[in-house]
Every structure is written in C-alpha cells, then in structure tokens.
Amino acid sequence: MQLLDGKFLSAQIKQEIAAEVAQIKEQGGKIPHLVAILVGNKGASETYVASKMKNCEEVGMHSTLIRFDPSVTEDELLDKVREVNENPDMDGLIVQLPLPDHINPDRVMETINPAKDVDGFHPINIGRMAKGLPAYISATPQGVLEMIKRYDIKTAGKHCVVVGRSQIVGLPMSILMQRNTYPGNCTVTITHSRTQNLAEICRSADILVAALGKPEFVTADMVKEGAVVIDVGLERVPDASKKSGFSLKGDVKFDEVAPKTSFITPVPGGVGLMTICSLMQNTLKAARGEIY
C-alpha cells in the first residue's frame, strides 16, 4: 500500500505555481487575481475560503474576498457576480457553496462568465469538458487527475467505479475517467444512493472513487485486493477526545481498507489539498487566457 500524499504533491505544485507567478512579475505581466464570494458565516465555508485566500498569497497571486450576510437577495448576489465579470483585473471567480436556500445555485453559476469560472461549474465548461475541448475542470476532479498522473497510476482499460453522482465531483469524475486521454480510457461505472448491489460493484473496481459524503461508508468488504482507492469525502464527526470537538473523516474506513489497496488517499492530507492547487492552476490559466 502506498499513500497518495496530497500534502507532498500540493507543496510541489504550489512551488511550480509560485515560480510561474514570479516569472510573470519579472516580465511586468499581470498578476493572477482570484475573487471569492462568501455568503453567510458557516464554519466549514469560512475555513475553505480562508485556505484558498491563504494559498493564493503563498504563491504570489492577488486575492479578494467579498462577503455577504445570509439575508442577501439573489438579485444582489447576481449583480456582484456581473460586476466581477466585467472587471478586467479579476481573472477567476468562485462563489462558495452551499448558498442559503432562497438563492438558486444554478442561476448563480450560469451568471459567472465561463472565462472566469475557475471552479468549472458553468454548464459551458461542463459541456466543453465532456466533449474533450479546453475547459476549466472542476477543481476536485482535476486534483484527482493530477494525483493519478504524478503517481503514474495506470488507467487505460481499468474499471473505475465512482460512488456519488454530484455535479461537483461524481459526474465530472466519471466523464474524465472514460475520455480518450491519460488519465482516462477506463470503463466507468457511476453509482449512487439507489444503486443495487453497490458493494458487489465496488468490489469489481480497479480504481474506486468515493465521493458520496458519508463518513466511513466504504468498508474493507467493498474493496478488492490491489485496488486504487481515492477518498474525496471530508466530513466533521463528533469526537470528544479532540479539542475542537470533532475529527475529520473521509468516505472510506481508512484503517481497515488501506491494507487491501495498492494506492489510497488519506483524509485529511489527500484530495482536499489538491483541490485548492487545482483552483490556483485554473486561476493562472484564466490570467493567461489559455482556455478562452
């Protein structure tokens, strides 16, 4: 068993991004600028956004955080999105999810300029990705692909099972893993809450991607010997032994699954760190106009 070490890889990627940003500065070019919009003050969202802003600073990028109270109207939020769309100094825009119930997230995502959609959630970017055209790929699936590449994991002809069909992870992951490229060329099965014989299907996977948001759902009896297991889950679970009162768990029961695998991601220290790197890579592409 080998750990897919997101901490090591993310440090490596951040060094590469920082070197590119430093080169842009030396040449008098425009410094990449990421804008994040945060509605409300939910603990997890606050933590995620703060981490994104901090990482931008570490690699020399500019970042701006725009805050709104939970009572903000949908129209007010959309007006701010359009304002960022029209600002040539701002290259990438993310709106942190989840949003309050009175705001339609699809409407928000569709309002973001696809050329600034560094989260890869706009229907145009999803469609371009599906067709194999240049696109911003959703940050978490892109982080998984980067991990697979950097550990030289073979994917062609393998059976990839994706557990979870969210538009943020499961759906794009299933599309990416079957494309005629590397990583890709897998036979892909996408499963979800209504899938019958789920454990049996998971046991057939050479590459198992767990992205359903249920702590420690995937157990050893669902994984075959030598499988590659990629755990996208990150949930807070009550833990009286921790000062914070909770511990972070993935969708995979790590201690019992790990011994059966050839490669596995830890939680924390796995996919989550790669997601932030992907976001910065996309912002760099946006500043350079690489996709559009």
mmCIF file of all heavy atoms in Angstrom, residues 137-173:
data_model
loop_
_atom_site.group_PDB
_atom_site.id
_atom_site.type_symbol
_atom_site.label_atom_id
_atom_site.label_comp_id
_atom_site.label_asym_id
_atom_site.label_seq_id
_atom_site.Cartn_x
_atom_site.Cartn_y
_atom_site.Cartn_z
ATOM 1 N N ILE A 137 -11.802 22.603 -15.571
ATOM 2 C CA ILE A 137 -12.335 21.367 -14.998
ATOM 3 C C ILE A 137 -12.544 21.590 -13.509
ATOM 4 O O ILE A 137 -11.717 22.201 -12.829
ATOM 5 C CB ILE A 137 -11.361 20.200 -15.256
ATOM 6 C CG1 ILE A 137 -11.299 19.907 -16.751
ATOM 7 C CG2 ILE A 137 -11.792 18.951 -14.482
ATOM 8 C CD1 ILE A 137 -10.210 18.947 -17.151
ATOM 9 N N SER A 138 -13.664 21.110 -13.015
ATOM 10 C CA SER A 138 -14.000 21.228 -11.603
ATOM 11 C C SER A 138 -12.782 20.848 -10.748
ATOM 12 O O SER A 138 -12.108 19.853 -11.004
ATOM 13 C CB SER A 138 -15.183 20.304 -11.306
ATOM 14 O OG SER A 138 -15.581 20.413 -9.970
ATOM 15 N N ALA A 139 -12.500 21.679 -9.741
ATOM 16 C CA ALA A 139 -11.205 21.629 -9.055
ATOM 17 C C ALA A 139 -10.912 20.280 -8.392
ATOM 18 O O ALA A 139 -9.775 19.805 -8.432
ATOM 19 C CB ALA A 139 -11.129 22.748 -8.022
ATOM 20 N N THR A 140 -11.904 19.649 -7.786
ATOM 21 C CA THR A 140 -11.633 18.380 -7.106
ATOM 22 C C THR A 140 -11.320 17.257 -8.096
ATOM 23 O O THR A 140 -10.290 16.583 -7.948
ATOM 24 C CB THR A 140 -12.798 17.992 -6.178
ATOM 25 O OG1 THR A 140 -12.927 18.997 -5.162
ATOM 26 C CG2 THR A 140 -12.545 16.658 -5.508
ATOM 27 N N PRO A 141 -12.135 17.024 -9.137
ATOM 28 C CA PRO A 141 -11.749 16.015 -10.126
ATOM 29 C C PRO A 141 -10.396 16.310 -10.782
ATOM 30 O O PRO A 141 -9.610 15.388 -11.011
ATOM 31 C CB PRO A 141 -12.888 16.082 -11.154
ATOM 32 C CG PRO A 141 -14.057 16.550 -10.369
ATOM 33 C CD PRO A 141 -13.504 17.524 -9.383
ATOM 34 N N GLN A 142 -10.121 17.576 -11.054
ATOM 35 C CA GLN A 142 -8.821 17.911 -11.645
ATOM 36 C C GLN A 142 -7.686 17.553 -10.692
ATOM 37 O O GLN A 142 -6.636 17.060 -11.106
ATOM 38 C CB GLN A 142 -8.756 19.397 -11.996
ATOM 39 C CG GLN A 142 -7.442 19.796 -12.650
ATOM 40 C CD GLN A 142 -7.446 21.214 -13.154
ATOM 41 O OE1 GLN A 142 -8.249 21.555 -14.018
ATOM 42 N NE2 GLN A 142 -6.559 22.043 -12.641
ATOM 43 N N GLY A 143 -7.912 17.793 -9.388
ATOM 44 C CA GLY A 143 -6.910 17.431 -8.391
ATOM 45 C C GLY A 143 -6.667 15.933 -8.356
ATOM 46 O O GLY A 143 -5.524 15.479 -8.207
ATOM 47 N N VAL A 144 -7.732 15.151 -8.509
ATOM 48 C CA VAL A 144 -7.602 13.690 -8.541
ATOM 49 C C VAL A 144 -6.793 13.253 -9.759
ATOM 50 O O VAL A 144 -5.896 12.409 -9.668
ATOM 51 C CB VAL A 144 -8.989 13.011 -8.532
ATOM 52 C CG1 VAL A 144 -8.857 11.506 -8.757
ATOM 53 C CG2 VAL A 144 -9.723 13.298 -7.223
ATOM 54 N N LEU A 145 -7.089 13.856 -10.931
ATOM 55 C CA LEU A 145 -6.338 13.521 -12.148
ATOM 56 C C LEU A 145 -4.855 13.824 -11.970
ATOM 57 O O LEU A 145 -3.988 13.038 -12.381
ATOM 58 C CB LEU A 145 -6.879 14.313 -13.346
ATOM 59 C CG LEU A 145 -8.305 14.031 -13.820
ATOM 60 C CD1 LEU A 145 -8.580 14.791 -15.110
ATOM 61 C CD2 LEU A 145 -8.545 12.553 -14.026
ATOM 62 N N GLU A 146 -4.567 14.973 -11.356
ATOM 63 C CA GLU A 146 -3.172 15.379 -11.132
ATOM 64 C C GLU A 146 -2.464 14.367 -10.235
ATOM 65 O O GLU A 146 -1.304 14.004 -10.452
ATOM 66 C CB GLU A 146 -3.151 16.771 -10.493
ATOM 67 C CG GLU A 146 -1.804 17.453 -10.507
ATOM 68 C CD GLU A 146 -1.387 17.957 -11.873
ATOM 69 O OE1 GLU A 146 -2.251 18.349 -12.689
ATOM 70 O OE2 GLU A 146 -0.165 17.959 -12.138
ATOM 71 N N MET A 147 -3.170 13.901 -9.231
ATOM 72 C CA MET A 147 -2.630 12.896 -8.309
ATOM 73 C C MET A 147 -2.311 11.601 -9.053
ATOM 74 O O MET A 147 -1.240 11.001 -8.875
ATOM 75 C CB MET A 147 -3.677 12.645 -7.225
ATOM 76 C CG MET A 147 -3.164 12.181 -5.919
ATOM 77 S SD MET A 147 -4.534 12.238 -4.725
ATOM 78 C CE MET A 147 -3.793 13.256 -3.476
ATOM 79 N N ILE A 148 -3.241 11.153 -9.865
ATOM 80 C CA ILE A 148 -3.057 9.923 -10.642
ATOM 81 C C ILE A 148 -1.844 10.046 -11.553
ATOM 82 O O ILE A 148 -1.015 9.126 -11.652
ATOM 83 C CB ILE A 148 -4.334 9.605 -11.456
ATOM 84 C CG1 ILE A 148 -5.456 9.141 -10.513
ATOM 85 C CG2 ILE A 148 -4.067 8.553 -12.527
ATOM 86 C CD1 ILE A 148 -6.819 9.023 -11.179
ATOM 87 N N LYS A 149 -1.724 11.207 -12.220
ATOM 88 C CA LYS A 149 -0.592 11.424 -13.130
ATOM 89 C C LYS A 149 0.739 11.412 -12.405
ATOM 90 O O LYS A 149 1.692 10.773 -12.828
ATOM 91 C CB LYS A 149 -0.751 12.772 -13.858
ATOM 92 C CG LYS A 149 -1.652 12.732 -15.061
ATOM 93 C CD LYS A 149 -1.517 13.967 -15.922
ATOM 94 C CE LYS A 149 -2.190 15.151 -15.292
ATOM 95 N NZ LYS A 149 -2.318 16.297 -16.232
ATOM 96 N N ARG A 150 0.800 12.123 -11.299
ATOM 97 C CA ARG A 150 2.079 12.290 -10.604
ATOM 98 C C ARG A 150 2.536 11.023 -9.883
ATOM 99 O O ARG A 150 3.713 10.890 -9.583
ATOM 100 C CB ARG A 150 2.015 13.485 -9.656
ATOM 101 C CG ARG A 150 1.880 14.801 -10.439
ATOM 102 C CD ARG A 150 2.084 16.020 -9.597
ATOM 103 N NE ARG A 150 1.886 17.228 -10.400
ATOM 104 C CZ ARG A 150 2.743 18.251 -10.451
ATOM 105 N NH1 ARG A 150 3.857 18.215 -9.741
ATOM 106 N NH2 ARG A 150 2.490 19.301 -11.197
ATOM 107 N N TYR A 151 1.606 10.107 -9.652
ATOM 108 C CA TYR A 151 1.990 8.812 -9.100
ATOM 109 C C TYR A 151 2.046 7.729 -10.187
ATOM 110 O O TYR A 151 2.244 6.558 -9.889
ATOM 111 C CB TYR A 151 1.038 8.403 -7.980
ATOM 112 C CG TYR A 151 1.422 8.990 -6.634
ATOM 113 C CD1 TYR A 151 0.920 10.223 -6.224
ATOM 114 C CD2 TYR A 151 2.299 8.322 -5.777
ATOM 115 C CE1 TYR A 151 1.281 10.771 -4.989
ATOM 116 C CE2 TYR A 151 2.657 8.861 -4.551
ATOM 117 C CZ TYR A 151 2.148 10.074 -4.164
ATOM 118 O OH TYR A 151 2.510 10.615 -2.944
ATOM 119 N N ASP A 152 1.868 8.156 -11.449
ATOM 120 C CA ASP A 152 1.999 7.266 -12.606
ATOM 121 C C ASP A 152 1.130 6.015 -12.466
ATOM 122 O O ASP A 152 1.560 4.886 -12.718
ATOM 123 C CB ASP A 152 3.477 6.873 -12.802
ATOM 124 C CG ASP A 152 3.730 6.261 -14.180
ATOM 125 O OD1 ASP A 152 2.992 6.601 -15.122
ATOM 126 O OD2 ASP A 152 4.657 5.431 -14.299
ATOM 127 N N ILE A 153 -0.117 6.226 -12.049
ATOM 128 C CA ILE A 153 -1.065 5.108 -11.907
ATOM 129 C C ILE A 153 -1.667 4.789 -13.273
ATOM 130 O O ILE A 153 -2.168 5.687 -13.962
ATOM 131 C CB ILE A 153 -2.166 5.465 -10.897
ATOM 132 C CG1 ILE A 153 -1.558 5.622 -9.489
ATOM 133 C CG2 ILE A 153 -3.266 4.415 -10.889
ATOM 134 C CD1 ILE A 153 -2.497 6.224 -8.468
ATOM 135 N N LYS A 154 -1.611 3.551 -13.671
ATOM 136 C CA LYS A 154 -2.140 3.143 -14.971
ATOM 137 C C LYS A 154 -3.675 3.171 -14.934
ATOM 138 O O LYS A 154 -4.287 2.678 -13.986
ATOM 139 C CB LYS A 154 -1.666 1.730 -15.337
ATOM 140 C CG LYS A 154 -0.155 1.523 -15.269
ATOM 141 C CD LYS A 154 0.589 2.504 -16.147
ATOM 142 C CE LYS A 154 2.098 2.313 -16.027
ATOM 143 N NZ LYS A 154 2.833 3.504 -16.466
ATOM 144 N N THR A 155 -4.274 3.735 -15.975
ATOM 145 C CA THR A 155 -5.734 3.819 -16.024
ATOM 146 C C THR A 155 -6.340 3.146 -17.251
ATOM 147 O O THR A 155 -7.495 2.716 -17.195
ATOM 148 C CB THR A 155 -6.201 5.295 -15.996
ATOM 149 O OG1 THR A 155 -5.647 5.990 -17.126
ATOM 150 C CG2 THR A 155 -5.759 5.984 -14.706
ATOM 151 N N ALA A 156 -5.615 3.034 -18.343
ATOM 152 C CA ALA A 156 -6.180 2.504 -19.589
ATOM 153 C C ALA A 156 -6.662 1.067 -19.389
ATOM 154 O O ALA A 156 -5.940 0.205 -18.888
ATOM 155 C CB ALA A 156 -5.135 2.548 -20.703
ATOM 156 N N GLY A 157 -7.922 0.844 -19.762
ATOM 157 C CA GLY A 157 -8.501 -0.488 -19.681
ATOM 158 C C GLY A 157 -8.964 -0.896 -18.294
ATOM 159 O O GLY A 157 -9.520 -1.984 -18.118
ATOM 160 N N LYS A 158 -8.758 -0.032 -17.298
ATOM 161 C CA LYS A 158 -9.147 -0.359 -15.922
ATOM 162 C C LYS A 158 -10.632 -0.070 -15.705
ATOM 163 O O LYS A 158 -11.231 0.755 -16.402
ATOM 164 C CB LYS A 158 -8.326 0.461 -14.923
ATOM 165 C CG LYS A 158 -6.824 0.280 -15.040
ATOM 166 C CD LYS A 158 -6.378 -1.117 -14.686
ATOM 167 C CE LYS A 158 -4.860 -1.237 -14.685
ATOM 168 N NZ LYS A 158 -4.411 -2.615 -14.413
ATOM 169 N N HIS A 159 -11.200 -0.741 -14.700
ATOM 170 C CA HIS A 159 -12.590 -0.478 -14.329
ATOM 171 C C HIS A 159 -12.594 0.541 -13.195
ATOM 172 O O HIS A 159 -12.076 0.275 -12.107
ATOM 173 C CB HIS A 159 -13.286 -1.760 -13.884
ATOM 174 C CG HIS A 159 -14.734 -1.572 -13.557
ATOM 175 N ND1 HIS A 159 -15.438 -2.414 -12.715
ATOM 176 C CD2 HIS A 159 -15.630 -0.621 -13.944
ATOM 177 C CE1 HIS A 159 -16.687 -1.997 -12.615
ATOM 178 N NE2 HIS A 159 -16.825 -0.904 -13.348
ATOM 179 N N CYS A 160 -13.168 1.704 -13.465
ATOM 180 C CA CYS A 160 -13.268 2.767 -12.464
ATOM 181 C C CYS A 160 -14.706 2.856 -11.979
ATOM 182 O O CYS A 160 -15.625 3.027 -12.787
ATOM 183 C CB CYS A 160 -12.833 4.105 -13.061
ATOM 184 S SG CYS A 160 -13.032 5.505 -11.938
ATOM 185 N N VAL A 161 -14.894 2.724 -10.679
ATOM 186 C CA VAL A 161 -16.224 2.867 -10.083
ATOM 187 C C VAL A 161 -16.247 4.163 -9.288
ATOM 188 O O VAL A 161 -15.393 4.386 -8.422
ATOM 189 C CB VAL A 161 -16.577 1.677 -9.171
ATOM 190 C CG1 VAL A 161 -17.897 1.934 -8.439
ATOM 191 C CG2 VAL A 161 -16.665 0.391 -9.983
ATOM 192 N N VAL A 162 -17.205 5.021 -9.614
ATOM 193 C CA VAL A 162 -17.390 6.290 -8.909
ATOM 194 C C VAL A 162 -18.628 6.166 -8.035
ATOM 195 O O VAL A 162 -19.711 5.844 -8.540
ATOM 196 C CB VAL A 162 -17.549 7.470 -9.893
ATOM 197 C CG1 VAL A 162 -17.721 8.780 -9.139
ATOM 198 C CG2 VAL A 162 -16.349 7.559 -10.836
ATOM 199 N N VAL A 163 -18.462 6.384 -6.730
ATOM 200 C CA VAL A 163 -19.600 6.306 -5.802
ATOM 201 C C VAL A 163 -20.039 7.735 -5.493
ATOM 202 O O VAL A 163 -19.337 8.487 -4.820
ATOM 203 C CB VAL A 163 -19.225 5.563 -4.505
ATOM 204 C CG1 VAL A 163 -20.468 5.362 -3.645
ATOM 205 C CG2 VAL A 163 -18.574 4.224 -4.807
ATOM 206 N N GLY A 164 -21.193 8.126 -6.026
ATOM 207 C CA GLY A 164 -21.678 9.504 -5.894
ATOM 208 C C GLY A 164 -21.792 10.146 -7.266
ATOM 209 O O GLY A 164 -20.910 9.982 -8.111
ATOM 210 N N ARG A 165 -22.879 10.900 -7.475
ATOM 211 C CA ARG A 165 -23.130 11.463 -8.815
ATOM 212 C C ARG A 165 -23.287 12.980 -8.785
ATOM 213 O O ARG A 165 -23.963 13.561 -9.645
ATOM 214 C CB ARG A 165 -24.379 10.816 -9.407
ATOM 215 C CG ARG A 165 -25.614 10.953 -8.516
ATOM 216 C CD ARG A 165 -26.831 10.293 -9.129
ATOM 217 N NE ARG A 165 -27.916 10.188 -8.155
ATOM 218 C CZ ARG A 165 -29.080 9.604 -8.404
ATOM 219 N NH1 ARG A 165 -29.323 9.081 -9.581
ATOM 220 N NH2 ARG A 165 -30.022 9.541 -7.468
ATOM 221 N N SER A 166 -22.680 13.649 -7.790
ATOM 222 C CA SER A 166 -22.837 15.103 -7.694
ATOM 223 C C SER A 166 -22.240 15.780 -8.926
ATOM 224 O O SER A 166 -21.301 15.270 -9.557
ATOM 225 C CB SER A 166 -22.140 15.636 -6.440
ATOM 226 O OG SER A 166 -20.736 15.667 -6.625
ATOM 227 N N GLN A 167 -22.783 16.968 -9.246
ATOM 228 C CA GLN A 167 -22.274 17.729 -10.379
ATOM 229 C C GLN A 167 -20.881 18.287 -10.100
ATOM 230 O O GLN A 167 -20.158 18.665 -11.016
ATOM 231 C CB GLN A 167 -23.235 18.870 -10.711
ATOM 232 C CG GLN A 167 -24.574 18.377 -11.242
ATOM 233 C CD GLN A 167 -25.513 19.515 -11.600
ATOM 234 O OE1 GLN A 167 -25.086 20.584 -12.019
ATOM 235 N NE2 GLN A 167 -26.804 19.294 -11.433
ATOM 236 N N ILE A 168 -20.494 18.338 -8.811
ATOM 237 C CA ILE A 168 -19.199 18.901 -8.445
ATOM 238 C C ILE A 168 -18.083 17.863 -8.551
ATOM 239 O O ILE A 168 -16.968 18.184 -8.965
ATOM 240 C CB ILE A 168 -19.261 19.482 -7.010
ATOM 241 C CG1 ILE A 168 -20.225 20.678 -6.987
ATOM 242 C CG2 ILE A 168 -17.888 19.878 -6.497
ATOM 243 C CD1 ILE A 168 -20.514 21.191 -5.590
ATOM 244 N N VAL A 169 -18.380 16.603 -8.198
ATOM 245 C CA VAL A 169 -17.327 15.581 -8.195
ATOM 246 C C VAL A 169 -17.707 14.346 -9.015
ATOM 247 O O VAL A 169 -17.065 14.025 -10.006
ATOM 248 C CB VAL A 169 -16.949 15.148 -6.755
ATOM 249 C CG1 VAL A 169 -15.824 14.107 -6.800
ATOM 250 C CG2 VAL A 169 -16.514 16.336 -5.921
ATOM 251 N N GLY A 170 -18.754 13.638 -8.595
ATOM 252 C CA GLY A 170 -19.053 12.338 -9.184
ATOM 253 C C GLY A 170 -19.266 12.370 -10.682
ATOM 254 O O GLY A 170 -18.649 11.586 -11.430
ATOM 255 N N LEU A 171 -20.130 13.258 -11.156
ATOM 256 C CA LEU A 171 -20.436 13.325 -12.584
ATOM 257 C C LEU A 171 -19.204 13.687 -13.418
ATOM 258 O O LEU A 171 -18.852 12.953 -14.351
ATOM 259 C CB LEU A 171 -21.587 14.298 -12.839
ATOM 260 C CG LEU A 171 -21.977 14.494 -14.305
ATOM 261 C CD1 LEU A 171 -22.475 13.194 -14.909
ATOM 262 C CD2 LEU A 171 -23.036 15.582 -14.438
ATOM 263 N N PRO A 172 -18.508 14.811 -13.104
ATOM 264 C CA PRO A 172 -17.315 15.114 -13.913
ATOM 265 C C PRO A 172 -16.232 14.038 -13.812
ATOM 266 O O PRO A 172 -15.554 13.745 -14.795
ATOM 267 C CB PRO A 172 -16.828 16.461 -13.366
ATOM 268 C CG PRO A 172 -17.545 16.692 -12.092
ATOM 269 C CD PRO A 172 -18.798 15.906 -12.149
ATOM 270 N N MET A 173 -16.083 13.436 -12.635
ATOM 271 C CA MET A 173 -15.059 12.387 -12.475
ATOM 272 C C MET A 173 -15.343 11.229 -13.422
ATOM 273 O O MET A 173 -14.426 10.680 -14.050
ATOM 274 C CB MET A 173 -15.084 11.906 -11.025
ATOM 275 C CG MET A 173 -13.846 11.182 -10.578
ATOM 276 S SD MET A 173 -12.460 12.280 -10.292
ATOM 277 C CE MET A 173 -11.267 11.594 -11.437
#
